[in-house]
């Protein structure tokens, strides 16, 4: 083959390759063009290379040199086309996959505390400002702390197995002092006073007590709009010289006013009975829902600590007096938010919980 003929076919091929690479509008099209022109086995360039062998011997060096120049040129045109497509967004990607930095970011859904946890934190905060320290007690209790030391005699209906969650195997093992899920936070009154007395030197008077305790309590109550088998109580205890019922009333009023903010809150005391307080009262608070319904809701019990309780833990009832109260946390939370059914707090319906 004459040199001129070989160079002509080489130049024609270079022009075709340039057009094919320049007109490729996707990575797939460019790859197809690369295989067609630069493919190692049957690409057009490879075919032309095979024609080198037929060139007259004297012209072979010139033909080989030109072939190499064209090959380098075609390869560099392929690379340029590759860069052009990458600059346009990768070619292979669909327009919808491209990242648009001007779009607003995705809003992350951030969770929040359960309304009961919010209520508990707020209560601790308010009572803390009134000088009450928050303490905790165990949820599995023994007979002494849940009943005996609280002046609840063996025959009292509050000890009935139908009124409590006794731990059956533990009851057998501990004989006289069965274990149960505590039915009230008043157990913590006993634990705190016992500890104060234990830490007091012989012959000294134990120090005053000013605590609150917030936690879960358990009763086999049938769930209805205002009862649940597991609920929370806030217990308050103040023991000191000269404490009176007037102090109890002031603290509870102050607490309610602070908790419910500037809103007008009425607290009502009704005479009642608890084995561990004398005299005892039920504490009611007025409530109003969004539909204009209103009434009184029982929040808890309270009273002056019974001298028998003070004596049982080692305080001298001739020297000190005290008041105690135990309020239902759910009832207060419901009163605050106008919730009319306690069960809604534990159904874990996010549509309900996210409102608070
Ligand atoms: C007591 O538990 C006493 N320990 C309170 C007390 C403490 C009195 C200190 C005197 C001195 P009572 O059983 O009434 O009392 O319960 C107190 C409050 O817990 C109730 O007023 C109510 O608000 C709430 N409560 C009682 N049972 C349930 C229940 N099943 N579900 C939700 N809340 C309840």
């Amino acid at each position: 083959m004459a040199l001129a003929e070989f160079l002509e076919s080489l130049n024609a091929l270079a022009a075709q390759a340039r057009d094919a690479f320049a007109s490729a509008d996707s990575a797939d099209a460019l790859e197809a063009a690369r295989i067609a022109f630069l493919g190692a086995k049957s690409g057009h360039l490879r075919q032309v290379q095979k024609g080198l062998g037929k060139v007259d011997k004297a012209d072979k060096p010139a033909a080989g040199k030109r072939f190499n120049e064209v090959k380098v040129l075609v390869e560099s045109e392929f690379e340029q086309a590759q860069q052009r497509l990458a600059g346009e967004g990768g070619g292979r990607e669909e327009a919808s996959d491209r990242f648009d930095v001007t779009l607003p970011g995705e809003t992350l859904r951030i969770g929040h505390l359960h309304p009961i946890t919010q209520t508990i934190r707020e209560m601790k905060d308010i009572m803390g400002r009134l000088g009450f320290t928050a303490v905790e007690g165990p949820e599995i209790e023994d007979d002494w702390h849940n009943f005996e030391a609280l002046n609840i005699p063996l025959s009292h209906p509050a000890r009935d197995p139908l009124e409590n969650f006794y731990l059956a195997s533990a009851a057998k093992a501990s004989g006289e002092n069965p274990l149960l899920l505590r039915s009230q936070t008043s157990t913590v009154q006993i634990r705190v006073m016992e500890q104060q007395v234990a830490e007091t030197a012989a012959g000294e008077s134990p120090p005053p007590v000013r605590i609150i305790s917030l936690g879960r309590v358990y009763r086999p109550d049938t769930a209805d709009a205002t009862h649940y088998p597991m609920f929370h109580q806030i217990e308050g205890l103040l023991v000191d010289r000269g404490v009176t019922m007037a102090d109890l009333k002031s603290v509870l009023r102050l607490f309610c006013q602070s908790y419910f903010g500037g809103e007008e809150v009425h607290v009502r005391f009704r005479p009642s009975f608890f084995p561990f307080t004398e005299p005892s009262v039920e504490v009611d608070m007025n409530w109003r829902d969004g539909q204009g319904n209103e009434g009184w809701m029982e929040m808890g019990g309270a009273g002056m600590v019974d001298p028998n309780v003070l004596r049982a833990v080692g305080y001298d009832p001739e020297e000190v007096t005290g008041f105690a109260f135990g309020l239902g946390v759910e009832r207060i939370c419901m009163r605050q938010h106008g919730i009319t059914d306690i069960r809604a707090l534990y159904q874990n319906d996010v549509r309900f919980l996210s409102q608070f």
Side-chain angles (χ1 to χ4, degrees), residues 217-295:
V217 298
Y218 303 84
R219 294 181 195 177
D221 288 346
T222 306
D224 62 20
T226 51
H227 293 84
Y228 211 69
M230 185 285 298
F231 58 101
H232 296 74
Q233 287 188 333
I234 170 172
E235 190 82 12
L237 174 70
L238 194 153
V239 177
D240 206 342
R241 291 170 193 271
V243 176
T244 69
M245 198 80 176
D247 298 315
L248 167 65
K249 220 167 180 181
S250 310
V251 166
L252 281 176
R253 265 192 213 286
L254 260 174
F255 167 70
C256 293
Q257 292 290 356
S258 310
Y259 186 85
F260 293 105
E263 201 188 326
E264 197 185 343
V265 177
H266 299 289
V267 175
R268 181 171 82 171
F269 282 180
R270 279 181 289 118
S272 186
F273 173 79
F274 294 100
F276 34 93
T277 46
E278 180 58 36
S280 305
V281 291
E282 296 276 4
V283 184
D284 296 343
M285 217 182 291
N286 68 318
W287 62 266
R288 206 177 306 123
D289 66 17
Q291 285 88 51
N293 303 311
E294 52 186 343

Side-chain angles (χ1 to χ4, degrees), residues 296-335:
W296 291 97
M297 188 183 266
E298 179 192 313
M299 295 288 161
M304 298 303 294
V305 181
D306 194 291
N308 285 342
V309 174
L310 293 172
R311 228 173 270 122
V313 293
Y315 273 79
D316 182 358
E318 301 298 327
E319 200 183 320
V320 292
T321 51
F323 70 68
F325 61 85
L327 312 180
V329 172
E330 280 76 1
R331 303 274 174 94
I332 292 173
C333 175
M334 289 164 74
R335 161 73 175 72

Side-chain angles (χ1 to χ4, degrees), residues 52-353:
L52 253 183
K54 294 179 199 147
V55 174
D56 299 337
K57 202 174 174 190
D59 294 332
K60 264 191 184 145
K65 185 169 175 272
R66 180 63 189 149
F67 176 82
N68 285 334
E69 284 168 3
V70 167
K71 189 169 180 239
V72 169
L73 188 73
V74 170
E75 281 171 349
S76 91
E77 277 166 353
F78 166 73
E79 280 162 20
Q80 280 169 27
Q82 229 181 0
Q83 283 164 13
R84 170 176 56 80
L85 287 176
E88 283 171 8
R92 207 181 282 267
E93 278 180 55
E94 291 300 320
S96 58
D97 293 337
R98 290 179 204 150
F99 182 64
D100 183 349
V101 288
T102 63
L103 285 175
E106 270 178 42
T107 315
L108 292 178
R109 288 183 55 145
I110 298 174
H112 65 77
L113 295 174
H114 191 278
I116 291 296
T117 310
Q118 293 179 31
T119 301
I120 286 175
R121 291 200 176 179
E122 208 170 323
M123 287 175 164
K124 280 188 183 163
D125 196 43
I126 293 168
M127 293 307 288
R129 278 186 263 133
L130 292 176
F132 287 77
T133 308
V135 296
E136 291 195 358
E139 289 179 24
I140 295 179
E141 265 298 3
D142 54 24
D143 184 84
W144 168 258
H145 292 95
N146 202 83
F147 300 123
E148 192 69 35
L150 285 165
N151 200 31
I152 302 176
L154 264 179
S155 56
H156 198 280
R159 291 176 178 249
D160 196 300
L162 294 175
E163 301 290 332
N164 297 284
F165 288 112
Y166 283 100
L167 306 184
S169 52
K172 263 187 221 137
S174 60
E176 293 284 289
N177 197 7
L179 297 179
L180 72 161
L181 295 179
R182 68 178 176 190
S183 61
Q184 51 184 346
T185 43
S186 299
T187 53
V188 186
Q189 291 183 32
I190 303 302
R191 289 193 173 272
V192 169
M193 288 191 285
E194 279 179 335
Q195 193 187 342
Q196 298 288 12
V197 170
E199 288 169 3
T200 304
E204 300 273 309
S205 299
V209 175
R210 203 181 178 104
I211 57 108
I212 52 159
S213 186
L214 279 137
R216 296 187 194 94
V217 298
Y218 303 84
R219 294 181 195 177
D221 288 346
T222 306
D224 62 20
T226 51
H227 293 84
Y228 211 69
M230 185 285 298
F231 58 101
H232 296 74
Q233 287 188 333
I234 170 172
E235 190 82 12
L237 174 70
L238 194 153
V239 177
D240 206 342
R241 291 170 193 271
V243 176
T244 69
M245 198 80 176
D247 298 315
L248 167 65
K249 220 167 180 181
S250 310
V251 166
L252 281 176
R253 265 192 213 286
L254 260 174
F255 167 70
C256 293
Q257 292 290 356
S258 310
Y259 186 85
F260 293 105
E263 201 188 326
E264 197 185 343
V265 177
H266 299 289
V267 175
R268 181 171 82 171
F269 282 180
R270 279 181 289 118
S272 186
F273 173 79
F274 294 100
F276 34 93
T277 46
E278 180 58 36
S280 305
V281 291
E282 296 276 4
V283 184
D284 296 343
M285 217 182 291
N286 68 318
W287 62 266
R288 206 177 306 123
D289 66 17
Q291 285 88 51
N293 303 311
E294 52 186 343
W296 291 97
M297 188 183 266
E298 179 192 313
M299 295 288 161
M304 298 303 294
V305 181
D306 194 291
N308 285 342
V309 174
L310 293 172
R311 228 173 270 122
V313 293
Y315 273 79
D316 182 358
E318 301 298 327
E319 200 183 320
V320 292
T321 51
F323 70 68
F325 61 85
L327 312 180
V329 172
E330 280 76 1
R331 303 274 174 94
I332 292 173
C333 175
M334 289 164 74
R335 161 73 175 72
Q336 180 189 9
H337 297 297
I339 299 167
T340 49
D341 196 323
I342 192 172
R343 289 167 291 196
L345 288 168
Y346 293 111
Q347 278 158 351
N348 282 337
D349 183 337
V350 175
R351 290 167 302 178
F352 170 78
L353 293 176

